[in-house]
Amino acid sequence: MSNYKSEEIPVTEPPVIDPTRWVENHADYLFSYAITRINDEEQARDLVQETFLAALERIDKFEGRSSERTWLTSILKNKVIDVYRKKSSGLNKITTSLDAEPQDQDFFDATDGHWNKTHRPQAFGIEEHDPLMSKELNSILQKCMQKLPALWLSVFTMKHMDDETTDLICAELKVSPSNFWVIIHRAKLNLRACLQKNWT
Amino acid sequence: MNELKNIIYNCRKATFLIEKKQLTALTVREKIELRIHLTGCSFCRLFQKQSIGINRMVHELFHSAQPREIRLDDDYKKKLQERIEEELDKN
């Protein structure tokens, strides 16, 4: 039956993989990838090391469908998600339980859902197109993000940083789709309020 | 009808839809509800502008501003390198 042309895959360059140069070529990149996602220098360094070691163990599975860096990054990414999962499970999850709903009661009137007077949005300079992303604003933004409960931050980061699908985030972090939207909503309410308070 | 009335005056729900809208498609009903609400509510209009601005800032934070300044220190790299070579020698 196999009269057809046998699979003549055009001969491409064999995928380059050279662990002796990983540190030189990818360590800084992977480190910055990790630190922007978990904001803990020591943990980020550990993750880079774990990534290299895990990659060595399964180096035979590298098929060269992607670049070496992409492959390493995907290993690291899974490790970052593990960190999120750990951070947002257990105690943290209980204290941020969504049934309790205290977190946004302040923002809106409990009976009619109007903005409470003290929480009404006020213009503070980011509403017009392209706010100047100064270093200062940058660091306030990061600080405000760190104030979010761990689970919220994990959901928020996975969605905004890596454009993960909602399904994947819900599965990885074990949140229901409806809780996912509640978290996205509350995270933004808190983030916005924090920015308004600290950036005026 | 009652529900529609609800959203028209409900900023909690309107801000929820503003967030949802930025990540996925709203249903036709939700779109109409949100539009009606925003027509009459300047606070939520402002919230929407700021929310979009925040998403843009967050995106920028993670994508463009990322890889420049942050570097691993050389000592750690050296140790990493040794560790990798150690592992390679095992095989």
Side-chain angles (χ1 to χ4, degrees):
Chain A
M1 279 301 292
S2 49
N3 234 345
Y4 297 97
K5 264 195 258 170
S6 56
E7 286 109 51
E8 276 179 60
I9 300 161
V11 185
T12 46
E13 292 282 307
V16 186
I17 192 139
D18 181 1
T20 60
R21 303 191 61 191
W22 280 354
V23 173
E24 182 189 335
N25 289 337
H26 309 300
D28 285 329
Y29 175 84
L30 294 175
F31 179 63
S32 71
Y33 181 97
I35 197 141
T36 46
R37 282 159 181 81
I38 56 177
N39 204 39
D40 176 334
E41 209 168 303
E42 214 179 308
Q43 196 168 25
R45 295 204 307 193
D46 288 347
L47 287 189
V48 174
Q49 165 158 319
E50 284 173 31
T51 299
F52 285 146
L53 296 180
L56 282 177
E57 260 173 42
R58 54 183 117 141
I59 201 159
D60 51 323
K61 301 218 175 74
F62 178 75
E63 288 166 332
R65 270 198 238 112
S66 53
S67 73
E68 194 181 56
R69 176 173 286 190
T70 308
W71 184 64
L72 290 168
T73 307
S74 71
I75 295 173
L76 174 59
K77 182 173 162 182
N78 282 317
K79 297 198 173 292
V80 170
I81 293 176
D82 278 343
V83 172
Y84 287 159
R85 203 183 290 132
K86 274 180 207 143
K87 273 193 188 165
S88 53
S89 64
L91 231 156
N92 279 317
K93 193 149 191 169
I94 295 163
T95 52
T96 60
S97 159
L98 297 163
D99 314 323
E101 345 207 333
Q103 278 90 0
D104 72 349
Q105 251 167 17
D106 280 356
F107 289 106
F108 303 104
D109 185 284
T111 48
D112 63 14
H114 285 204
W115 287 100
N116 277 332
K117 243 189 195 138
T118 48
H119 286 89
R120 284 178 187 161
Q122 289 164 7
F124 59 97
I126 66 156
E127 40 291 303
E128 296 316 323
H129 29 152
D130 280 337
L132 194 63
M133 195 54 178
S134 67
K135 260 197 170 152
E136 209 184 338
L137 182 54
N138 216 318
S139 84
I140 292 173
L141 176 62
Q142 281 176 297
K143 274 182 200 139
C144 287
M145 284 174 62
Q146 292 309 315
K147 282 187 190 165
L148 298 174
L151 176 64
W152 299 11
L153 182 59
S154 301
V155 169
F156 188 83
T157 314
M158 283 176 80
K159 191 69 206 176
H160 286 278
M161 196 171 334
D162 295 318
D163 297 317
E164 298 293 0
T165 64
T166 303
D167 290 347
L168 181 131
I169 297 172
C170 288
E172 294 284 0
L173 300 177
K174 295 198 174 58
V175 295
S176 68
S178 68
N179 276 355
F180 170 86
W181 290 111
V182 172
I183 289 170
I184 288 285
H185 182 213
R186 293 196 186 156
K188 181 61 71 64
L189 286 170
N190 280 279
L191 202 52
R192 195 212 65 81
C194 179
L195 281 167
Q196 177 175 311
K197 191 174 153 205
N198 293 288
W199 181 256
T200 33
Chain B
M1 198 54 214
N2 235 342
E3 266 178 56
L4 192 60
K5 215 171 175 183
N6 259 340
I7 169 83
I8 297 176
Y9 301 107
N10 190 325
C11 301
R12 182 203 303 267
K13 192 159 181 209
T15 52
F16 179 86
L17 292 180
I18 287 168
E19 293 312 305
K20 197 172 173 190
K21 183 183 163 192
Q22 293 180 68
L23 301 176
T24 189
L26 297 180
T27 65
V28 174
R29 189 196 177 90
E30 287 171 333
K31 277 185 205 163
I32 295 168
E33 289 177 342
L34 180 59
R35 183 169 301 177
I36 294 172
H37 182 95
L38 289 177
T39 310
C41 181
S42 62
F43 296 120
C44 287
R45 285 202 300 272
L46 182 58
F47 177 92
Q48 178 167 254
K49 279 187 190 169
Q50 293 175 337
S51 177
I52 292 168
I54 291 169
N55 281 4
R56 205 171 34 221
M57 278 159 51
V58 169
H59 188 88
E60 216 174 293
L61 180 71
F62 292 141
H63 291 92
S64 62
Q66 197 193 109
R68 269 162 255 149
E69 287 160 39
I70 321 158
R71 305 193 69 223
L72 258 181
D73 65 271
D74 290 339
D75 276 357
Y76 194 78
K77 279 191 198 164
K78 219 174 137 194
K79 270 190 245 154
L80 264 181
Q81 185 69 37
E82 286 163 10
R83 187 72 207 274
I84 288 172
E85 277 164 16
E86 210 177 281
E87 289 294 318
L88 286 171
D89 286 343
K90 279 188 195 165
N91 305 320

